[in-house]
Amino acid sequence: MNRFSGKVALVTGGASGIGAAIAARLAGEGAKVLIADRNAPAATSGAIRYVETDATKADDVSAAVAVALDGWGRLDILVNNAGIGAYGETPDMDEALWDQVFAVNIRAIYLFCRAAIPALRETGGTIVNIASISGLFGDYGMAAYNASKGAVVNYTRSLALECVRHGIRVNALCPGLVETALSAPGLEQPGDRAHWQERIPMGRPARPDEMAAVAAFLASDDASYMTGSIVTADGGITAHTGQPNIIARRQMREAAAE
Ligand SMILES: NC(=O)c1ccc[n+]([C@@H]2O[C@H](COP(=O)([O-])OP(=O)(O)OC[C@H]3O[C@@H](n4cnc5c(N)ncnc54)[C@H](O)[C@@H]3O)[C@@H](O)[C@H]2O)c1
């Protein structure tokens, strides 16, 4: 597939994890990609460039959009992927950490959209926001993350409405557990991985390239009738009410009795 030939994309947080996989996928399908990250990616190329950016700083954000426009003359795709996690219950949550989670996970999206939408109007471009299933439901000990990702989900809908008359589509991807640096702390203690996997109907975390495939679909003309959509890719986690698997428990009892 070469769905992005002649197109220019900007991927925030594209130096690692899901963002790096999205940058590689878009470039692999013909796009020129600018990674805007506070850290440098492992490699750049003719098709993938890098600009050091703190996505929470308005000046950095405007400068990053200008680098894409100065370098390649247009902007077709904005992927708002930069994000951070934070564990902690509310009474123990440090105010500065709460603010930083909101600054990266939602304020940065507003800043990038504000800076990029004028250029996206010129191309009839598209925005893909990387939210999370944690923006759809609650998790234990992840209040700041849950609240910030919930904001991404509803901001996506609102942005879709304000952008529709300019021919700009705006959608969000809600990944489940993806194997990256961000999810690593939740998987590193003995037994944690098995505990996670029991809760994922597909029985495993996703690879970043599996998220990139969905993000690329949303960014492509294959999704031409989609805007304001909140798309989950979570191995079935959110298909589940949380109630026990009665049939599996019955089968276990029967097997034990044999
Ligand atoms: N990994 C998962 O299980 C998972 C699940 C659901 C959603 N997500 C979301 O996917 C996105 C990517 O996460 P990931 O798992 O690839 O994490 P990651 O830590 O591998 O990558 C995040 C990237 O964002 C960059 N970044 C962080 N703060 C920044 C800032 N202020 N300015 C610029 N860049 C900044 C980091 O340098 C890093 O390259 C995040 O929005 C995350 O919330 C991840």
Side-chain angles (χ1 to χ4, degrees):
M1 280 189 285
N2 220 21
R3 293 178 293 186
F4 307 115
S5 199
K7 301 211 165 177
V8 174
L10 194 157
V11 180
T12 75
S16 71
I18 296 169
I22 293 171
R25 175 76 191 232
L26 297 178
E29 289 199 44
K32 302 287 189 206
V33 181
L34 181 67
I35 289 173
D37 199 304
R38 62 184 175 181
N39 296 322
T44 54
S45 65
I48 302 184
R49 294 185 190 165
Y50 167 65
V51 58
E52 186 177 340
T53 308
D54 181 341
T56 69
K57 302 236 167 6
D59 289 349
D60 278 22
V61 170
S62 306
V65 172
V67 167
L69 294 174
D70 293 347
W72 289 312
R74 57 186 291 143
L75 186 64
D76 301 274
I77 298 163
L78 170 64
V79 182
N80 286 306
N81 163 80
I84 57 171
Y87 286 110
E89 295 185 340
T90 301
D92 310 315
M93 171 64 63
D94 179 66
E95 225 177 294
L97 180 57
W98 178 280
D99 287 347
Q100 184 63 10
V101 169
F102 270 74
V104 180
N105 291 1
I106 181 66
R107 186 170 185 273
I109 296 184
Y110 148 69
L111 291 176
F112 263 101
C113 289
R114 188 178 67 166
I117 283 171
L120 294 171
R121 283 181 187 154
E122 301 290 316
T123 56
T126 188
I127 299 170
V128 180
N129 294 328
I130 308 303
S132 171
I133 57 169
S134 300
L136 304 173
F137 304 98
D139 296 296
Y140 292 103
M142 288 171 62
Y145 189 74
N146 286 136
S148 69
K149 290 296 185 176
V152 177
V153 166
N154 223 24
Y155 186 37
T156 298
R157 296 187 179 110
S158 189
L159 267 173
L161 298 180
E162 65 177 71
C163 288
V164 74
R165 70 180 185 281
H166 301 294
I168 301 171
R169 296 182 304 102
V170 188
N171 295 291
L173 167 61
C174 293
L177 181 68
V178 188
E179 195 92 52
T180 68
L182 186 138
S183 60
L187 290 167
E188 66 198 4
Q189 295 303 317
D192 282 358
R193 181 174 292 272
H195 189 66
W196 260 106
Q197 290 183 174
E198 275 168 27
R199 279 153 181 76
I200 304 172
M202 286 181 72
R204 65 171 178 87
R207 301 183 310 271
D209 67 282
E210 293 177 300
M211 296 304 107
V214 185
F217 162 70
L218 291 173
S220 79
D221 290 343
D222 288 340
S224 57
Y225 199 58
M226 293 178 72
T227 197
S229 294
I230 311 301
V231 177
T232 57
D234 64 357
I237 296 180
T238 57
H240 187 208
T241 59
Q243 298 190 76
N245 186 341
I246 300 296
I247 301 283
R249 290 182 62 77
R250 192 182 296 158
Q251 285 166 347
M252 249 166 43
R253 276 195 301 272
E254 285 166 3
E258 275 169 14

